[in-house]
Amino acid sequence: MSVIIIDEAHERTLHTDILFGLIKDIARFRPDLKVLVASATLDTERFSCFFDDAPVFRIPGRRFPVDIYYTKAPEADYLEACVVSVLQIHVTQPAGDVLVFLTGQEEIEACCELLQERCRRLGSKISELLVLPIYANLPSDMQAKIFNPTPPGARKVVVATNIAETSLTIDGIIYVIDPGFCKQKSYNARTGMESLIVTPCSRASANQRAGRAGRVAAGKCFRLYTAWAFKHEMEETTVPEIQRTNLGNVVLLLKSLGINDLIHFDFMDPPPHETLVLALEQLYALGALNHLGELTKLGRRMAELPVDPMLSKMILASEHYKCSEEILTIAAMLSVNNSIFYRPKDKVVHADNARMNFVVPGGDHIVLLNVYTQWVESGYSTQWCFENFIQFRSMKRARDVRDQLEGLMDRIEVELCSCNGESVPIRKAVTAGYFYNTARLSKGGYKTVKHQQTVYVHPNSSLFEEQPRWMIYHELVFTTKEFMRQVIEIESGWLLEVAPHYYKNKELEDSSSKKMPRKQGKAREELG
DNA sequence: CTCTCCCT
């Protein structure tokens, strides 16, 4: 007999949901296989029902009770409400550390500053309050501070993102302050744009947060919203990731496992139809699927790499342009989420100057390559990172990703070779993977070629002031505006060179007519 | 002229 355990199933990550579908299928014709699904939430019925009415076992947790307090009326300014609540706890409540949940770096910094300023003003009237931020992109030495034991007579306040909800636990937390918001990714399959939006968190998430107060002793959770809002306005559970993300690599993976009919794949919660259609269209455009929606030889090679299809295609194309060494580095650097450059608030000018020193012509990909190359020349130095306002942790991760990808080159038969940093072949290889993400400068600024959508170069980009006519973007994100992040300059002729099946000469020259790429009707056929 | 959850 064999057993498969799926733990933390309640988190409903992309991979959990894919596993659900695959394992359910396998378990039906493998009676020797036991499947154990472990979830920390109470919605067991959904899991049980999905797995053909599997029996449910309830295992009581070993936690201390947590008293929940709600506000009588909604808070107009939850940041201010957090600050006031922390100070009230500090002055009126017995010993025990405080954990505050906020949505992101900016909010956390603001909250910490406010707390410190008010403590300064109160001076010796109150006992010491240690204010510590924690979020994923905070440098690791500063992250480590939250784990130092609180000195006697003092109290610690940890101001955190969702990182403290599941990923790490802090000893000594007795009080939790929960404003009830989090930042969530969502994906628009019509435009292919991701956005990160502050939304009310789910009841499951709120309960998880409250639980953080009861790990060492009985605790208290102060919810900065009304009991009514908890009951009537918040969703029961968080929308599963599979319904809020681009599915390019998932579709490629499933196709490579021989699952052709994705529309009828047994998803516990199916993704939006349009998301699947767009993923299929893009894979067809990349040449990973044929007109019947079947995996091509190229698609099979692309599926060997654990990265998004466009990135995979870029790596495969790099062999033709004799720059696979450079492209592997760029792929690795793009995989670590915009966390290469460190920009602390109190040293913005220094950090920006340091960043400028890395700028080379061509665009952000070439700049990333330059950063990595210099780091290698420094002997992978931590000190070098520190001096250049580069996040060591991110570079280390890029190195790991690069090593892993390099190890797979043999299997997909891509020869390692270098163009000695020459820009054109590198940018052509990028174009071969990302031709779908082309933007062009017109009178009203940049517009995407695919949807004629107005987009902007991100102010952090090395091409922010350059305004090249044609650009390729790595990703499109909506924050305060529609931003292209990580862009390179290209020549329109390259589009015909790398994707003649996708672009017609006319489309690239005639600026008055609608510049739509060829119809991608074939990929739709599979969908009926 | 921004500034963005989590870890795969």
Side-chain angles (χ1 to χ4, degrees):
Chain A
M1 189 187 74
S2 303
V3 180
I4 292 181
I5 300 177
I6 307 178
D7 200 5
E8 311 282 358
H10 61 278
E11 287 186 13
R12 299 296 303 275
T13 64
L14 187 56
H15 291 285
T16 299
D17 276 28
I18 304 300
L19 268 176
F20 277 172
L22 293 173
I23 286 179
K24 179 176 178 178
D25 185 28
I26 292 165
R28 278 181 170 165
F29 56 85
R30 281 270 313 263
D32 60 313
L33 188 68
K34 295 264 184 237
V35 179
L36 209 131
V37 178
S39 167
T41 49
L42 301 171
D43 56 334
T44 52
E45 212 160 287
R46 294 221 54 216
F47 296 106
S48 163
C49 180
F50 178 74
F51 284 102
D52 302 328
D53 296 319
V56 175
F57 302 93
R58 289 200 167 73
I59 294 142
R62 288 165 295 147
R63 272 193 328 191
F64 296 92
V66 175
D67 288 333
I68 310 262
Y69 302 88
Y70 294 94
T71 53
K72 297 230 159 47
E75 293 289 346
D77 179 352
Y78 68 78
L79 204 63
E80 175 64 22
C82 279
V83 172
V84 171
S85 305
V86 170
L87 292 171
Q88 267 174 4
I89 289 170
H90 188 42
V91 173
T92 65
Q93 298 287 316
D97 296 335
V98 186
L99 175 59
V100 184
F101 283 101
L102 290 173
T103 66
Q105 178 178 348
E106 202 178 310
E107 249 178 42
I108 289 173
E109 282 172 353
C111 181
C112 289
E113 275 169 32
L114 280 171
L115 277 169
Q116 262 145 0
E117 195 196 300
R118 305 236 173 133
C119 284
R120 255 199 312 276
R121 262 194 247 160
L122 290 165
S124 57
K125 280 183 218 156
I126 55 166
S127 60
E128 192 185 356
L129 191 68
L130 296 163
V131 182
L132 300 170
I134 178 92
Y135 45 89
N137 271 350
L138 190 73
S140 10
D141 53 321
M142 290 170 79
Q143 283 195 353
K145 286 185 183 167
I146 64 162
F147 297 111
N148 294 341
T150 312
R155 194 194 296 271
K156 179 160 74 183
V157 189
V158 176
V159 188
T161 60
N162 264 355
I163 195 170
E165 194 178 301
T166 48
S167 307
L168 57 88
T169 39
I170 311 151
D171 278 341
I173 299 293
I174 300 288
Y175 308 99
V176 162
I177 296 174
D178 175 21
F181 290 96
C182 65
K183 221 167 251 183
Q184 263 201 352
K185 188 165 83 176
S186 64
Y187 179 68
N188 181 339
R190 211 176 43 76
T191 57
M193 187 149 61
E194 282 187 344
S195 42
L196 214 52
I197 295 168
V198 175
T199 39
C201 65
S202 65
R203 283 196 288 274
S205 176
N207 290 336
Q208 180 78 22
R209 289 176 175 190
R212 297 273 134 179
R215 295 189 64 89
V216 287
K220 291 180 180 177
C221 175
F222 300 92
R223 290 180 170 161
L224 305 182
Y225 41 89
T226 62
W228 194 90
F230 178 78
K231 211 171 160 192
H232 299 103
E233 289 180 354
M234 289 160 82
E235 299 290 336
E236 171 77 47
T237 53
T238 310
V239 175
E241 191 183 5
I242 199 166
Q243 297 183 331
R244 308 183 270 116
T245 195
N246 177 326
L247 293 177
N249 49 355
V250 168
V251 169
L252 186 60
L253 173 74
L254 292 178
K255 289 273 181 187
S256 76
L257 293 174
I259 294 153
N260 270 313
D261 184 7
L262 293 167
I263 302 304
H264 298 102
F265 183 75
D266 199 353
F267 291 109
M268 188 165 160
D269 288 300
H273 192 257
E274 310 82 71
T275 306
L276 286 175
V277 173
L278 184 64
L280 289 164
E281 266 184 24
Q282 291 188 346
L283 287 167
Y284 175 74
L286 288 170
L289 300 178
N290 65 18
H291 66 286
L292 297 170
E294 299 161 340
L295 208 60
T296 61
K297 191 163 176 266
L298 175 69
R300 199 161 293 287
R301 291 168 78 208
M302 281 168 63
E304 292 286 334
L305 302 177
V307 296
D308 280 337
M310 293 184 192
L311 207 61
S312 205
K313 176 73 184 280
M314 171 180 94
I315 292 171
L316 281 161
S318 72
E319 197 190 18
H320 176 72
Y321 293 104
K322 308 254 179 289
C323 57
S324 52
E325 294 276 7
E326 285 84 357
I327 285 293
L328 277 183
T329 301
I330 289 169
M333 290 290 274
L334 289 170
S335 306
V336 300
N337 280 328
N338 313 299
S339 52
I340 299 290
F341 298 100
Y342 177 51
R343 199 168 182 264
K345 251 187 163 177
D346 52 336
K347 286 176 195 144
V348 165
V349 179
H350 287 273
D352 287 350
N353 280 337
R355 186 180 187 139
M356 260 163 18
N357 287 334
F358 290 108
V359 171
V360 281
D364 300 319
H365 298 62
I366 314 289
V367 174
L368 289 174
L369 173 65
N370 186 25
V371 170
Y372 191 87
T373 310
Q374 290 195 38
W375 183 56
V376 173
E377 283 164 6
S378 81
Y380 306 104
S381 154
T382 359
Q383 182 61 26
W384 180 90
C385 288
F386 183 76
E387 286 162 3
N388 290 284
F389 289 84
I390 299 291
Q391 295 233 48
F392 177 72
R393 194 165 28 130
S394 304
M395 294 305 293
K396 201 166 150 319
R397 164 128 184 85
R399 188 185 178 187
D400 289 344
V401 172
R402 196 189 185 287
D403 287 349
Q404 192 192 341
L405 290 175
E406 194 181 318
L408 291 165
M409 289 304 103
D410 231 18
R411 202 206 291 241
I412 58 167
E413 293 167 336
V414 170
E415 209 177 309
L416 284 172
C417 52
S418 167
C419 62
N420 299 312
E422 200 194 321
S423 172
V424 170
I426 295 173
R427 285 185 289 143
K428 280 187 178 178
V430 174
T431 309
Y434 285 85
F435 57 85
Y436 212 89
N437 293 356
T438 307
R440 136 187 214 153
L441 187 64
S442 56
K443 265 178 272 151
Y446 284 98
K447 283 200 164 57
T448 61
V449 170
K450 172 83 178 159
H451 290 111
Q452 294 298 301
Q453 187 183 11
T454 303
V455 290
Y456 303 88
V457 180
H458 196 278
N460 273 351
S461 168
S462 63
L463 294 181
F464 184 62
E465 284 167 346
E466 298 280 317
Q467 304 250 315
R469 190 156 178 73
W470 292 90
M471 283 202 304
I472 295 273
Y473 56 87
H474 177 65
E475 59 182 356
L476 207 54
V477 287
F478 180 85
T479 51
T480 52
K481 262 195 212 168
E482 289 85 353
F483 284 115
M484 296 179 281
R485 260 198 327 216
Q486 316 289 22
V487 291
I488 56 159
E489 177 177 0
I490 60 155
E491 286 168 26
S492 62
W494 298 354
L495 295 167
L496 296 169
E497 181 183 325
V498 303
H501 59 292
Y502 188 77
Y503 285 102
K504 283 187 271 188
N505 207 359
K506 205 174 68 181
E507 292 156 356
L508 303 175
E509 279 171 359
D510 184 7
S511 62
S512 60
S513 74
K514 262 189 120 189
K515 288 167 295 297
M516 286 295 285
R518 280 187 195 184
K519 253 202 150 121
Q520 297 294 303
K522 291 286 175 64
R524 282 178 192 273
E525 279 175 14
E526 190 208 15
L527 306 168

